Amino acid sequence: MSDTIIKIKNLRCEVEGQEILKGLDLEVKKGEIHAIMGPNGSGKSTLSSVLAGKEDYEITSGTVDFLGNDLLELSPEERSWKGLFLAFQYPVEIPGVSNVNFLRTALNERNKFLEKEQISAKDFLAMVKEKSELVGLNNKLKNRSVNEGFSGGEKKRNEIFQMAMLEPKLSILDETDSGLDIDALKIVSDGVNQLKSSEKATIVITHYQRLLDYIVPDFVHVLSDGKIIKSGDKNLALKLEEKGYDWLKTDVPV
Amino acid sequence: MSVEIEFDMEKEVLKSFENLTQSSIFPSNQEKELEKLKTIGFPNRNSENWKYTKLSKLYKKKFTDPKSADLKVFPISKLPNISASTIVLENGIINKHLTCVDQTDGLEISFFSSNSSEIESKINHTTSKYEDAFTCLNSYLLNEGIYIKVKKNTKITQPIYIVNVVTNSGVAVNSRLNLELEKFSELTVLQSFIGPNSSSSFVNHVTEAHLSENASLHINKHQDYKDVINLVSEYIHQDSNSSFTINTFSYSGELIRNGLNVDVDGQNCHTELNGVFTVNNNDYIDNHTLVNHIQPNCQSHENYKGIIKDKGVGVFNGKVIVHKDAQKIQAYQNNNNILLSDYSKIFAKPELEIYADDVKCSHGSTTGQLDEEALFYLKSRGVSSNTAKKLLLEGFIGEIADKISHQNFKEYIIDKLI
């Protein structure tokens, strides 16, 4: 079996006639952590939204293969069932919908899709206990409405908690470090690192090098104007931190 | 000229009911009620309070007397599993097989038909000042009523479940519920208006409740008819220190109109009106509420949530009147609506009429669609589209469903939501 989890080829997309991604290529293999960095407006969040299946974007060309599936043909829920997870930059508050109840529904719908057994209440609660400890999610928050009244840090912990519960093959963390203080950043990163496995992969989207001190990437890519303009190892991130993005723009690669 | 036209209208409308005049359990009253009805006149689209209501749906039909129709006995399996005293009114007639009333000290339950001479004097005390044509029509054609009295200091812990079921097509049912709560008494009533095979019928129901000092009444009401015109008029009178709560869940019916009137005529009262209405197909559901704060130092809370689908039309018209001497009133009114299609409609009219100068009142109404961001969030975690919508709608009405203290009834209500 192939080691590739996701392979994006020449992906182009637009919103209201304006092209945002302009021919993006990326391949992520099992066990790898990729960081995507780039200035504001380079298309980082668009990439994560397109991969998760948000409908506001029109794909004009390109292919995305996810574990042998044509990802772009799948609904957002099917992408989740097949093992894709997006941790939102701005997790949505959903009043009246209980955090754990909705997760149980999500797990059971996935199991139904995969023709697996429904998860028992006992196993589910044990899993909730284990995974919430992993990210230090307060007990009270698990039973509250999804993200309602959570602080910025609690929302991000809740994202990683849900990621742990759903056990995805590919996790995309969209600016997970934004709005986090150092302590929260450390806890969230620890959670991500503990979930790392040789069978799974992670794409970390971030502005700053800071997060990459905690989640150490195998590859760093620079996204600018809808394309990846440079790739390297973790040292590329350090160089970016030192010199800013502008040095790349003069040093245009082929 | 106009007088003549209006008189004709009364005559025309009454033709819809001419087969029913024999069924009244108060025949001696009929002449008087008919005169009153003619004086008040049936509302039409020019009547401010009825301007959205397509009463032509009612006026065009002709109904039969349920007593002369074939009775199809309602299957009990369709009812929620509630261990409580249950009274089933089937097509306006007490169904003795399904009715089971626990005898409790301090609780008196009787049916109008078995005690009509005594009960006649106990009804319509709260209704007359409202001059409502359909309440008069109800008195004129009344099939059956239930009278419940809770005696002083009696707290009835088990709810009383009253089912108004229609199993026939094309019948008209005029029913009543009269509740008399003496001082320091407590009662919970669950009410279902249901009928899965009840097309083209008309159910005109009147509830009257009198709460004496320190009494507490809690009503949970569920309306789920198929193609029925269901008018419910409620008249509540509160004496001081009493507490009244009603939660209304209106799910389906060709035309539903709830006219809820509360006279808060004592100090330190608590009044709470909550509702959920879901409108499908071409249906129409209308909630008209009126809270009359006559005395000072009271609180009222109102919260209604509407979910309108397809070509449905919903109406929320909530009015609070604070009378001149009713100082220190706190009255809050809230209404939120979700429109699920491009053709669905809501008419929302929260109203405050304040004549006192030291009060705290607020009202608000919002109308929107399901939150797309929230839907995407849930789907991205593996919740399918339909389930995600259901979760969001359950969340939307959750704070109102939580007001139902009876767990089985609450589950039944949530289960029936979408």
Side-chain angles (χ1 to χ4, degrees):
Chain A
M1 245 189 89
S2 152
D3 278 348
T4 301
I5 289 202
I6 193 165
K7 190 168 187 175
I8 305 172
K9 268 197 202 158
N10 189 32
L11 184 64
R12 289 173 177 270
C13 85
E14 53 186 50
V15 176
E16 290 166 0
Q18 197 189 348
E19 191 166 51
I20 313 254
L21 297 181
K22 301 176 179 174
L24 186 138
D25 296 289
L26 181 69
E27 183 172 358
V28 177
K29 292 187 172 145
K30 283 180 183 173
E32 293 177 351
I33 295 181
H34 289 241
I36 296 179
M37 303 183 73
N40 285 331
S42 57
K44 300 191 300 293
S45 285
T46 299
L47 175 63
S48 61
S49 294
V50 166
L51 294 180
K54 205 165 185 197
E55 280 165 7
D56 312 349
Y57 303 91
E58 196 192 335
I59 314 291
T60 48
S61 77
T63 57
V64 180
D65 180 278
F66 177 61
L67 298 165
N69 304 285
D70 180 354
L71 187 77
L72 301 177
E73 287 297 306
L74 302 176
S75 67
E77 56 268 36
E78 285 168 327
R79 296 177 197 207
S80 168
W81 295 335
K82 287 180 184 288
L84 186 95
F85 182 89
L86 169 65
F88 281 52
Q89 182 177 4
Y90 303 110
V92 187
E93 296 195 14
I94 313 180
V97 177
S98 141
N99 213 19
V100 285
N101 279 355
F102 116 75
L103 262 181
R104 186 158 181 213
T105 306
L107 280 171
N108 278 334
E109 292 208 328
R110 181 193 69 191
N111 285 3
K112 193 176 159 199
F113 176 80
L114 299 175
E115 295 177 347
K116 283 192 194 167
E117 269 186 43
Q118 302 281 289
I119 185 163
S120 75
K122 190 170 158 256
D123 291 349
F124 177 74
L125 287 176
M127 195 171 165
V128 166
K129 188 167 182 289
E130 182 200 331
K131 307 293 185 185
S132 58
E133 278 167 8
L134 191 76
V135 289
L137 188 73
N138 187 320
N139 226 353
K140 285 179 198 148
L141 299 181
K142 291 182 296 200
N143 295 312
R144 286 239 300 266
S145 293
V146 180
N147 294 323
E148 195 187 24
F150 287 28
S151 71
E154 286 164 348
K155 283 181 186 169
K156 296 298 171 78
R157 280 183 212 203
N158 194 23
E159 293 293 280
I160 306 303
F161 163 65
Q162 293 182 37
M163 180 177 121
M165 290 292 290
L166 293 167
E167 299 174 324
K169 304 265 177 26
L170 175 65
S171 305
I172 304 166
L173 310 180
D174 187 5
E175 307 257 2
T176 293
D177 48 339
S178 70
L180 287 190
D181 58 33
I182 289 290
D183 291 341
L185 187 66
K186 205 166 170 312
I187 292 167
V188 166
S189 311
D190 280 352
V192 172
N193 288 330
Q194 287 187 55
L195 294 169
K196 197 182 165 183
S197 93
S198 59
E199 290 301 302
K200 297 174 185 169
T202 308
I203 297 174
V204 180
I205 292 173
T206 183
H207 250 75
Y208 300 108
Q209 194 270 335
R210 191 178 67 163
L211 178 67
L212 305 181
D213 286 342
Y214 298 96
I215 303 172
V216 181
D218 302 299
F219 300 95
V220 174
H221 310 278
V222 179
L223 186 64
S224 176
D225 195 24
K227 275 187 197 170
I228 287 177
I229 57 165
K230 195 167 180 71
S231 297
D233 61 13
K234 62 182 179 184
N235 293 319
L236 177 58
L238 294 169
K239 206 165 170 187
L240 282 171
E241 178 83 352
E242 186 192 327
K243 297 191 172 181
Y245 289 107
D246 282 344
W247 67 274
L248 280 174
K249 288 186 180 163
T250 50
D251 178 27
V252 182
V254 189
Chain B
M1 190 68 186
S2 67
V3 173
E4 204 177 281
I5 290 166
E6 278 184 19
F7 186 72
D8 278 347
M9 181 180 158
E10 270 40 90
K11 216 167 136 188
E12 285 304 310
V13 174
L14 284 168
K15 272 188 189 167
S16 304
F17 305 104
E18 64 190 5
N19 296 334
L20 310 168
T21 52
Q22 301 304 311
S23 62
S24 167
I25 55 167
F26 295 141
S28 59
N29 248 351
Q30 278 189 304
E31 204 175 320
K32 193 182 81 197
E33 293 295 341
L34 185 62
E35 276 315 304
K36 212 155 89 190
L37 184 56
K38 284 178 176 167
T39 320
I40 296 168
F42 281 104
N44 57 42
R45 304 206 84 165
N46 295 327
S47 324
E48 176 64 23
N49 266 336
W50 293 84
K51 66 179 177 186
Y52 305 117
T53 320
K54 282 188 190 141
L55 283 168
S56 54
K57 284 185 174 182
L58 171 68
Y59 296 159
K60 273 188 294 197
K61 289 188 171 137
K62 196 156 184 135
F63 301 101
T64 48
D65 181 357
K67 281 180 192 157
S68 61
D70 278 343
L71 262 190
K72 302 181 190 78
V73 175
F74 183 71
I76 196 158
S77 59
K78 301 259 183 193
L79 296 176
N81 181 21
I82 287 170
S83 58
S85 285
T86 301
I87 300 166
V88 177
L89 210 57
E90 184 165 348
N91 304 315
I93 301 160
I94 299 290
N95 180 324
K96 292 205 170 80
H97 303 287
L98 300 180
T99 296
C100 166
V101 178
D102 292 336
Q103 297 292 331
T104 311
D105 282 344
L107 178 68
E108 187 187 314
I109 299 179
S110 55
F111 305 131
F112 285 20
S113 56
S114 52
N115 199 6
S116 59
S117 57
E118 205 177 299
I119 279 170
E120 210 172 332
S121 63
K122 293 180 179 169
I123 68 168
N124 279 333
H125 291 300
T126 56
T127 62
S128 49
K129 76 169 186 182
Y130 287 99
E131 298 199 324
D132 178 71
F134 293 104
T135 303
C136 282
L137 183 73
N138 176 283
S139 303
Y140 174 54
L141 300 171
L142 192 60
N143 299 102
E144 182 60 288
I146 299 158
Y147 176 81
I148 299 175
K149 179 169 171 175
V150 189
K151 292 192 180 137
K152 200 174 161 184
N153 297 325
T154 309
K155 293 180 174 34
I156 305 295
T157 47
Q158 281 277 39
I160 295 177
Y161 185 35
I162 298 169
V163 185
N164 222 315
V165 59
V166 176
T167 49
N168 280 110
S169 299
V171 296
V173 174
N174 288 277
S175 57
R176 284 229 175 198
L177 173 64
N178 272 65
L179 304 169
E180 177 72 46
L181 278 84
E182 294 191 344
K183 291 178 185 176
F184 293 94
S185 67
E186 274 180 36
L187 179 68
T188 298
V189 172
L190 311 176
Q191 241 182 331
S192 279
F193 291 86
I194 42 176
N197 306 306
S198 48
S199 60
S200 299
S201 288
F202 172 52
V203 177
N204 183 25
H205 177 86
V206 174
T207 295
E208 279 186 89
H210 184 269
L211 283 74
S212 302
E213 286 168 30
N214 296 82
S216 168
L217 174 63
H218 200 112
I219 299 178
N220 294 309
K221 181 176 90 185
H222 170 228
Q223 292 163 297
D224 203 353
Y225 281 127
K226 191 171 168 19
D227 299 329
V228 165
I229 296 173
N230 182 203
L231 306 182
V232 178
S233 309
E234 285 143 331
Y235 302 92
I236 316 296
H237 183 97
Q238 287 188 260
D239 285 343
S240 53
N241 302 310
S242 64
S243 167
F244 171 69
T245 301
I246 184 165
N247 305 312
T248 301
F249 298 85
S250 312
Y251 286 176
S252 158
E254 182 186 4
L255 188 160
I256 293 180
R257 177 172 167 122
N258 293 307
L260 171 56
N261 306 287
V262 186
D263 286 333
V264 191
D265 197 7
Q267 297 201 30
N268 304 313
C269 289
H270 178 90
T271 307
E272 201 173 321
L273 320 176
N274 303 301
V276 170
F277 51 106
T278 65
V279 197
N280 310 298
N281 308 321
N282 283 305
D283 292 352
Y284 170 95
I285 298 182
D286 182 338
N287 283 291
H288 263 71
T289 66
L290 171 64
V291 179
N292 242 326
H293 280 294
I294 301 162
Q295 301 278 347
N297 299 313
C298 293
Q299 275 197 26
S300 65
H301 300 262
E302 181 164 16
N303 195 1
Y304 273 75
K305 308 252 184 184
I307 299 169
I308 331 285
K309 292 198 279 192
D310 310 323
K311 292 182 176 171
V313 178
V315 176
F316 169 77
N317 191 329
K319 191 171 188 171
V320 175
I321 302 177
V322 181
H323 290 248
K324 189 163 165 271
D325 298 320
Q327 302 294 359
K328 308 276 181 197
I329 292 294
Q330 295 185 35
Y332 306 100
Q333 208 183 49
N334 181 56
N335 164 238
N336 308 110
N337 308 298
I338 288 182
L339 300 179
L340 290 178
S341 85
D342 292 344
Y343 304 100
S344 52
K345 269 190 212 162
I346 176 83
F347 296 98
K349 194 176 171 193
E351 292 179 87
L352 286 175
E353 235 179 86
I354 303 171
Y355 300 100
D357 54 15
D358 183 14
V359 299
K360 240 186 220 174
C361 296
S362 70
H363 63 172
S365 177
T366 64
T367 295
Q369 287 158 314
L370 272 185
D371 181 352
E372 288 294 331
E373 295 289 323
L375 267 181
F376 177 63
Y377 185 86
L378 294 175
K379 287 195 278 189
S380 80
R381 300 290 142 97
V383 178
S384 63
S385 191
N386 279 340
T387 311
K389 279 182 192 162
K390 194 168 178 341
L391 282 178
L392 289 182
L393 292 175
E394 280 177 16
F396 176 64
I397 67 134
E399 60 175 321
I400 299 192
D402 285 343
K403 301 274 181 188
I404 306 176
S405 52
H406 195 283
Q407 191 57 28
N408 282 6
F409 199 71
K410 179 178 160 182
E411 280 167 19
Y412 172 76
I413 289 292
I414 292 175
D415 189 50
K416 295 265 172 191
L417 175 66
I418 292 295

